[in-house]
Amino acid sequence: NAGVTQTPKFRVLKTGQSMTLLCAQDMNHEYMYWYRQDPGMGLRLIHYSVGEGTTAKGEVPDGYNVSRLKKQNFLLGLESAAPSQTSVYFCASTRAGDSGELFFGEGSRLTVL
Amino acid sequence: AQSVTQLGSHVSVSEGALVLLRCNYSSSVPPYLFWYVQYPNQGLQLLLKYTSAATLVKGINGFEAEFKKSETSFHLTKPSAHMSDAAEYFCAVNLGGTGGFKTIFGAGTRLFVKA
């Protein structure tokens, strides 16, 4: 009964390096999301997807790219990491036609030096 | 702009005391409203939600919240705090109907419970 799983859970990068965060859900949810959490700012939506092969920008998309090649997976990429991208990243999913209740992963803590 | 305001970034109560966490939202359409809880080093999990049924919503762990349209509020309460309630609480509003891509989160309120 995994729910939403994120990998890796921790990562340290140097400025300019690239990396990909993987999110996998086993609930057959149509919608998936990537958020970042920063102190005092709540959660802010980076990108989201309403189905396989489709993605859209959220509130803070700059510096990030995403892909959803399979319904159960949603990847978040940083092509050239910057210190401002130091944050905790959360993946979430929800069913289409629902109230929007979000199911979250445990988070990925990224530090960019 | 639509927004969610949580009054107080930190709230401290004694064990056994009333917990009251405040949330106000601005929305021109009837929203779906949520409270999520985040324990240290974990993701957010749903505490309770309002979806236009009863205005008083009961959630897990003895928490409840009341939707007051006239006040655009959705405050979270618990009659008697327990040490295990120490966590960060987020109020969220879904403005977009089905799906969650129009969900706005408040900045969060960290609850401390003193023995």
Side-chain angles (χ1 to χ4, degrees):
Chain A
N1 197 16
V4 179
T5 303
Q6 295 180 227
T7 54
K9 290 187 170 39
F10 301 94
R11 186 73 188 269
V12 178
L13 290 178
K14 294 181 179 179
T15 297
Q17 287 185 319
S18 63
M19 75 158 295
T20 300
L21 297 177
L22 171 63
C23 176
Q25 54 96 2
D26 61 3
M27 297 173 284
N28 203 32
H29 286 171
E30 291 80 7
Y31 300 162
M32 296 186 73
Y33 313 84
W34 277 106
Y35 289 91
R36 60 177 289 171
Q37 183 182 27
D38 301 292
M41 303 188 73
L43 275 75
R44 293 180 292 168
L45 184 62
I46 304 171
H47 286 280
Y48 66 94
S49 169
V50 299
E52 184 177 321
T54 70
T55 64
K57 295 180 180 179
E59 180 185 358
V60 289
D62 294 342
Y64 305 95
N65 57 75
V66 289
S67 64
R68 186 135 179 236
L69 300 179
K70 294 182 178 181
K71 183 178 184 179
Q72 64 267 33
N73 295 338
F74 195 29
L75 278 63
L76 177 71
L78 287 72
E79 290 187 346
S80 180
S84 61
Q85 294 178 303
T86 294
S87 187
V88 181
Y89 293 86
F90 287 97
C91 178
S93 68
T94 191
R95 281 182 292 269
D98 195 12
S99 60
E101 174 187 344
L102 295 164
F103 295 79
F104 285 88
E106 293 195 342
S108 298
R109 183 175 296 275
L110 174 64
T111 301
V112 183
L113 303 175
Chain B
Q2 316 289 3
S3 65
V4 178
T5 303
Q6 291 185 238
L7 295 177
S9 59
H10 296 83
V11 170
S12 182
V13 301
S14 297
E15 192 172 22
L18 171 72
V19 175
L20 171 61
L21 304 182
R22 300 178 187 272
C23 174
N24 288 87
Y25 67 93
S26 65
S27 172
S28 57
V29 298
Y32 293 130
L33 297 161
F34 306 85
W35 276 99
Y36 290 90
V37 60
Q38 184 181 31
Y39 298 103
N41 300 315
Q42 294 186 26
L44 283 71
Q45 61 184 85
L46 184 70
L47 204 54
L48 50 80
K49 64 180 178 182
Y50 167 77
T51 58
S52 77
T55 56
L56 182 62
V57 181
K58 294 188 183 300
I60 61 172
N61 301 335
F63 284 92
E64 61 183 35
E66 186 173 8
F67 171 62
K68 291 187 177 181
K69 185 177 179 180
S70 61
E71 299 177 5
T72 59
S73 68
F74 191 54
H75 301 330
L76 182 70
T77 61
K78 181 175 181 178
S80 177
H82 191 272
M83 297 297 289
S84 61
D85 294 327
E88 188 153 23
Y89 293 80
F90 293 91
C91 181
V93 177
N94 177 15
L95 304 171
T98 60
F101 40 87
K102 292 188 179 181
T103 297
I104 301 174
F105 286 85
T109 298
R110 186 168 295 279
L111 177 66
F112 297 92
V113 182
K114 300 174 291 186

